[in-house]
Amino acid sequence: GENVEQHPSTLSVQEGDSAVIKCTYSDSASNYFPWYKQELGKGPQLIIDIRSNVGEKKDQRIAVTLNKTAKHFSLHITETQPEDSAVYFCAATLDYKLSFGAGTTVTVRA
Amino acid sequence: GAGVSQSPRYKVAKRGQDVALRCDPISGHVSLFWYQQALGQGPEFLTYFQNEAQLDKSGLPSDRFFAERPEGSVSTLKIQRTQQEDSAVYLCASSSNRGGSTDTQYFGPGTRLTVL
């Protein structure tokens, strides 16, 4: 099955700086890559996703890039704000079964 | 509209007890998924329904785990004879289409199960 690795496990950034989280996947057939944000006591919330026919996607301060050859994808958050502090998960799938990374705890320092 | 809801939000069970966890998906969503999230880890797939049909139960860890969705809407995840290793957050997700690879899965808040 699909195996997703996510780095780093923790990330501390100064407010206003950028944050980058990287993921690799093992199954070259995977074609859908969502990113979820999970706050304490809540379920994961989709923040952005990308499909295999697209190399980059942006939504305001959030962007995701996909390199299918290298089988890795990254999340970029610019101009970080305190409300960006949360756990972020990447995931990959070729059908309906999402395989998640272990998560990155992002802390934005004021 | 309303999102995915789950109940109870917290459940404490003594080892050996049976528990039932409920999921109300977004109205009209055809696909429903259950995931298990251990502390400090990402969610792991348990099972998938399309309407009332359970199409994939490959992630259920043992035969003590059973899920149903009899009318194609509300789903229940049942765990029999709970063990300490069953302690986790159980997440339910739903999506609007037929489980295609690009369907967005919307998650509920989860049920935190603690087995003593």
Side-chain angles (χ1 to χ4, degrees), chain B residues 26-71:
Chain B
I26 294 172
S27 178
H29 274 193
V30 170
S31 299
L32 185 145
F33 310 84
W34 284 97
Y35 290 82
Q36 181 190 58
Q37 185 175 24
L39 190 64
Q41 299 297 316
E44 292 192 356
F45 172 83
L46 293 178
T47 188
Y48 159 54
F49 289 86
Q50 187 179 110
N51 294 307
E52 69 278 4
Q54 188 175 21
L55 299 186
D56 187 342
K57 53 181 181 179
S58 62
L60 296 177
S62 77
D63 58 8
R64 296 185 295 103
F65 287 70
F66 172 77
E68 60 183 4
R69 194 186 185 197
E71 298 179 355

Side-chain angles (χ1 to χ4, degrees), chain A residues 29-83:
Chain A
S30 288
N31 58 11
Y32 176 58
F33 308 90
W35 286 87
Y36 285 87
K37 175 183 180 181
Q38 188 173 29
E39 297 176 330
L40 200 60
K42 297 184 178 180
Q45 179 185 11
L46 181 77
I47 55 172
I48 196 167
D49 57 14
I50 192 166
R51 290 159 176 78
S52 60
N53 59 343
V54 175
E56 183 176 1
K57 183 177 178 180
K58 291 183 179 180
D59 183 3
Q60 299 184 334
R61 297 186 296 109
I62 295 174
V64 57
T65 59
L66 171 65
N67 183 327
K68 287 215 70 180
T69 303
K71 290 189 287 186
H72 68 70
F73 56 114
S74 301
L75 177 73
H76 302 251
I77 307 173
T78 59
E79 301 174 13
T80 53
Q81 301 170 2
E83 53 264 36

Side-chain angles (χ1 to χ4, degrees), chain A residues 93-110:
Chain A
T93 184
L94 56 86
D95 45 30
Y96 49 81
K97 190 183 303 184
L98 291 176
S99 296
F100 286 84
T104 297
T105 301
V106 174
T107 303
V108 179
R109 307 187 307 272

